[in-house]
Amino acid sequence: MSIQFKTIVELRAMLDSKQISAAELMQESLGLAKKHEELNCFITMNEEQALKKASAINLDEKTTSNLLGIPLAQKDLFCTEGLRTTCSSKILSNFIPPYTATAVKNLEDAGSVTIGKTNMDEFAMGSSNETSFFGSVHNPWKKEYVPGGSSGGSAAAVAAGIVPAATGTDTGGSIRQPAAHCGITGLKPTYGRVSRWGMIAFASSLDQAGPLARTSEDCAILLNAISGFDSKDTTSLNIEVPDFLENINKPINGIRIGIIKEFNLADLDSKVQERFEESKKTYEKLGARFVEVSLPNISASVPTYYSIAPAECSSNLSRFDGVRFGYRAENTDDLNDLYIKSRSEGFGDEVKRRILIGTYALSAGYYDAYYKKAQQVRRLIKEDFEHAFESVDLLMTPTSPNTAFEFGSKGTQNPVELYLEDLFTISSNLAGIPAISIPHGLVNSLPAGLQLIGNFLREDQLLNAAHIFQKNSDFHLLKPDLERSQ
């Protein structure tokens, strides 16, 4: 029996019933990765260590972990001791960390096995996975189309059935948007719910690790493992972690779902609108009640984000200077020349663009006008969400204005075209609240995503609403035809 496209829940049952061993499961997963190398999902494989660890797993031992023996992929900005971590950048193309990120360690402590590190937009800066030094990831549904970004490699690996789940990070939509474009489920938790220690930073006040999987139930399994307080991360929340599976089957009759007045869905493709209206009807049949809500400052989300995120990226990426680790330019005249050449040669165009924008926004005479003002608007956006959640339990939007698009079709002349792909996702990062994308059908033979946004620390409610939708639909069961997606 093939393990391709199986969920964690299904693989757990196969392992527990001895239909397959952990070593056999890992061998099949590694075989699928090799078979579908053309998707370019992975940068570095962990074959030798993964097989060694899987072979040592004793399935006869009593365990409460759903992840024992399960192969997982890790986005290539999570540090992994002894395993190359590149952030899909030339400047880190040979970096081997001396430690493992807390989120990855938590998953491995739960018994999962890391199969390899997935491709991504360079330093997580992008919405299409076209900025990687190691080449673009291909969408399993149509290989000449983007998978979304920045967690495109993780999303494509899950969508292609190579692994049942993978880690991603979300700074402005980088879990949810590729999940939508690849027809899988992706969750951005509340800021601080999952430790950022060992996660190479893009924008520290926005970055959040989270799971990508075939179902919301599998996302809950991963969230149970990766959540929790970490003293090494000063933004980690020191609160009790609930069991996200406990109430996942709870009926959602009476739940109030907000539709944001300021998002004019009439501007979207008619088929995207149609899918959204059909999903509303599904939720209404399940007992949900829709309420229009106003978030008056949400229209400022994109410019606010693109003032804050580049500023923080400019600060965070200053450590990559060619001196301590990473790429170092040759034939330099002095220290200043070393800095300039190492960074000019080591960073790609999009990363350099955002560093320049951020440095400008933080410079003397412009800090108050840009970065400080953006932080003030961010507070207004957060307050808008707080007011909205006084009258509703969840908010609902499309995940992305569009389905996946062809390589090179957006952002080549005007980068703002790509920035607007995150129109519906950015605001929840600015507010620090959780959000999930679930598949809700196809538009022109490509997956479309539905986004649910939850209140602070209410991942349980998000996962419950997503799971009930998936129990009453089959969109999450749709699979790409990998032989015909050329």
Side-chain angles (χ1 to χ4, degrees), residues 26-308:
M26 180 52 64
Q27 285 170 340
E28 284 206 40
S29 191
L30 288 165
L32 287 168
K34 289 177 182 176
K35 181 179 179 181
H36 300 296
E37 279 181 333
E38 78 284 353
L39 295 175
N40 202 26
C41 297
F42 291 92
I43 292 173
T44 305
M45 297 305 296
N46 189 38
E47 184 170 359
E48 185 179 338
Q49 289 301 314
L51 285 170
K52 184 179 177 181
K53 182 174 178 180
S55 298
I57 290 173
N58 182 3
L59 295 173
D60 290 324
E61 290 182 2
K62 287 187 177 181
T63 178
T64 57
S65 175
N66 290 305
L67 291 172
L68 182 64
I70 300 294
L72 298 178
Q74 314 292 352
K75 186 177 181 179
D76 201 27
L77 56 58
F78 290 99
C79 288
T80 43
E81 183 179 356
L83 185 64
R84 187 170 66 145
T85 300
T86 72
C87 275
S88 287
S89 178
K90 179 179 179 179
I91 210 160
L92 282 178
S93 56
N94 291 309
F95 176 57
I96 298 177
Y99 56 88
T100 295
T102 298
V104 175
K105 186 177 186 303
N106 288 347
L107 289 168
E108 292 181 341
D109 286 348
S112 72
V113 185
T114 295
I115 181 176
K117 308 294 289 295
T118 56
N119 203 348
M120 53 182 277
D121 279 297
E122 185 181 7
F123 281 100
M125 297 179 200
S127 303
S128 62
N129 223 133
E130 294 177 282
T131 68
S132 171
F133 174 66
F134 298 93
S136 300
V137 176
H138 297 265
N139 193 316
W141 290 82
K142 278 191 180 181
K143 293 194 179 77
E144 69 274 21
Y145 280 61
V146 304
S150 62
S151 306
S154 290
V158 175
I162 297 168
V163 286
T167 54
T169 61
D170 195 308
T171 306
S174 286
I175 287 174
R176 291 161 288 158
Q177 196 242 32
H181 285 353
C182 290
I184 62 169
T185 304
L187 172 69
K188 183 202 87 72
T190 300
Y191 182 78
R193 171 71 86 183
V194 180
S195 172
R196 293 186 301 109
W197 191 82
M199 195 175 99
I200 297 173
F202 161 17
S204 300
S205 73
L206 299 163
D207 298 342
Q208 186 58 72
L212 295 107
R214 303 201 72 80
T215 67
S216 55
E217 185 176 22
D218 279 1
C219 281
I221 289 171
L222 260 69
L223 189 62
N224 275 342
I226 62 178
S227 297
F229 176 65
D230 181 7
S231 61
K232 297 188 291 295
D233 174 7
T234 57
T235 62
S236 177
L237 296 172
N238 192 0
I239 54 171
E240 185 178 348
V241 179
D243 180 355
F244 295 106
L245 288 168
E246 186 177 359
N247 294 312
I248 201 164
N249 286 300
K250 180 181 174 184
I252 60 169
N253 186 50
I255 196 170
R256 300 163 300 167
I257 302 177
I259 301 297
I260 301 169
K261 183 174 76 173
E262 284 74 16
F263 284 149
N264 185 8
L265 302 187
D267 292 340
L268 303 179
D269 179 277
S270 60
K271 292 184 179 179
V272 173
Q273 293 178 53
E274 186 180 316
R275 288 272 23 100
F276 188 76
E277 292 302 320
E278 287 297 318
S279 295
K280 279 180 67 178
K281 290 176 184 176
T282 299
Y283 270 115
E284 285 173 336
K285 289 175 185 175
L286 294 168
R289 181 164 60 90
F290 284 91
V291 180
E292 186 178 76
V293 296
S294 177
L295 280 75
N297 296 290
I298 203 166
S299 60
S301 293
V302 173
T304 299
Y305 175 88
Y306 281 103
S307 296
I308 294 171

Side-chain angles (χ1 to χ4, degrees), residues 372-439:
K372 183 180 177 182
K373 180 64 70 178
Q375 291 287 19
Q376 291 169 335
V377 176
R378 178 184 191 171
R379 179 64 202 178
L380 295 176
I381 292 168
K382 187 174 187 295
E383 289 174 352
D384 284 349
F385 277 109
E386 290 170 353
H387 294 149
F389 285 120
E390 290 173 2
S391 57
V392 296
D393 302 297
L394 302 172
L395 298 167
M396 192 169 99
T397 75
T399 306
S400 176
N402 308 288
T403 55
F405 44 90
E406 290 185 85
F407 288 114
S409 64
K410 291 193 178 185
T412 52
Q413 301 300 319
N414 181 8
V416 176
E417 276 187 316
L418 274 178
Y419 298 168
L420 290 173
E421 288 297 304
D422 297 329
L423 175 68
F424 296 116
T425 55
I426 277 172
S427 56
S428 55
N429 294 84
L430 292 168
I433 54 178
I436 193 169
S437 176
I438 55 176

